Amino acid sequence: MTDTDWDERFASGEYPSAPEPSPVFRAYEPSLPGGRALDVAAGTGRNAVFLADRGYDVDALDASAEGLRIVGERAAERGIGDRIETIRGDVSTYGFPTEAYDLVTMSYFHTLDRFADLAESLAPGGYLFVEGHLRSAEPSPSGPSDDRYRFAANELLRAGLALSVRYYDETTTERPGDRRRATARLLAQKSSGGRQSYPERPDAPDRWPGAESDSKAANERDA
């Protein structure tokens, strides 16, 4: 799908203008360090607006001018426009700065060849959160029809092993309209050594499945 296609989808309202971040990410966020964050393939601000609302200074990177416009509008409506810097750029070629971010997020955008660059963009002790569609033996109507843009089993986990993995899952979520979604989620930290610090595990993991509120979404972003 081209940048123009995404501009049209965002402008038409086909894609939700205010999708919620992953419930797993929301649950862990209070135990993560604050500071500067990067939302990769930000879309309409699933993670960027949430993080700015939590006090982060956020760079929202996306190739779609229309998506970034919506991000700016959402931030302005909440009075947090000064905490988000929108950056129009192609994730596949963007020059990520080194050790610049305390947190990097990427949701439903499939790119494995930039993982090393995402890790390098983290400051020491920083966190990376990635979620994406999975290849599934059962029908999974939500997301791309081409398995090239879905993670194979444990593929996202292996991609994150250069960092210290703090959370990983592969799950299926039932959604309204039979929009079943198979998803992998990774939270990893840029740290090393036998003695490390660890985020506190959220108290209620049973609330994670099925908590996504973007029920009107059809296919999520893919590359």
Side-chain angles (χ1 to χ4, degrees):
M1 184 169 286
T2 67
D3 299 343
T4 301
D5 291 334
W6 278 108
D7 282 338
E8 292 175 355
R9 289 190 67 182
F10 292 146
S12 68
E14 181 182 350
Y15 186 92
S17 61
E20 291 290 333
S22 161
V24 173
F25 181 55
R26 292 202 305 268
Y28 269 102
E29 183 276 329
S31 65
L32 303 184
R36 188 180 178 197
L38 171 67
D39 188 19
V40 179
T44 56
R46 177 190 302 273
N47 299 316
V49 174
F50 169 76
L51 289 172
D53 204 37
R54 296 287 183 166
Y56 286 83
D57 293 317
V58 183
D59 288 343
L61 172 66
D62 202 278
S64 169
E66 183 63 21
L68 294 177
R69 182 190 64 78
I70 295 172
V71 172
E73 285 186 351
R74 292 181 60 199
E77 289 171 356
R78 290 164 173 75
I80 54 174
D82 59 336
R83 295 183 194 156
I84 295 184
E85 181 75 22
T86 58
I87 302 172
R88 189 178 183 189
D90 186 341
V91 176
S92 65
T93 58
Y94 183 74
F96 293 100
T98 301
E99 296 189 352
Y101 296 104
D102 301 291
L103 175 62
V104 174
T105 62
M106 184 169 68
S107 293
Y108 302 109
F109 186 89
H110 191 86
T111 179
L112 291 171
D113 58 349
R114 301 307 309 270
F115 257 67
D117 300 297
L118 295 180
E120 287 186 6
S121 73
L122 290 170
Y127 281 83
L128 173 68
F129 175 78
V130 178
E131 62 183 338
H133 295 288
L134 279 168
R135 300 173 189 174
S136 176
E138 297 78 24
S140 183
S142 179
S145 58
D146 193 329
D147 274 353
R148 290 181 300 168
Y149 305 129
R150 292 177 179 266
F151 292 114
N154 290 323
E155 188 174 27
L156 177 57
L157 175 61
R158 289 192 295 269
L161 290 180
L163 303 171
S164 298
V165 175
R166 300 296 183 232
Y167 177 88
Y168 184 76
D169 73 14
E170 295 181 351
T171 59
T172 298
T173 302
E174 297 294 335
R175 303 167 68 230
D178 195 29
R179 301 296 302 174
R180 188 178 305 106
R181 176 188 289 166
T183 308
R185 299 180 183 90
L186 168 76
L187 178 68
Q189 186 179 20
K190 188 174 186 177
S191 58
S192 60
R195 296 177 183 270
Q196 301 184 22
S197 60
Y198 305 96
E200 182 178 350
R201 182 179 177 86
D203 292 332
D206 57 317
R207 68 193 170 116
W208 297 346
E212 286 90 342
S213 65
D214 55 331
S215 59
K216 63 179 287 191
N219 294 334
E220 297 285 1
R221 302 205 70 176
D222 55 76

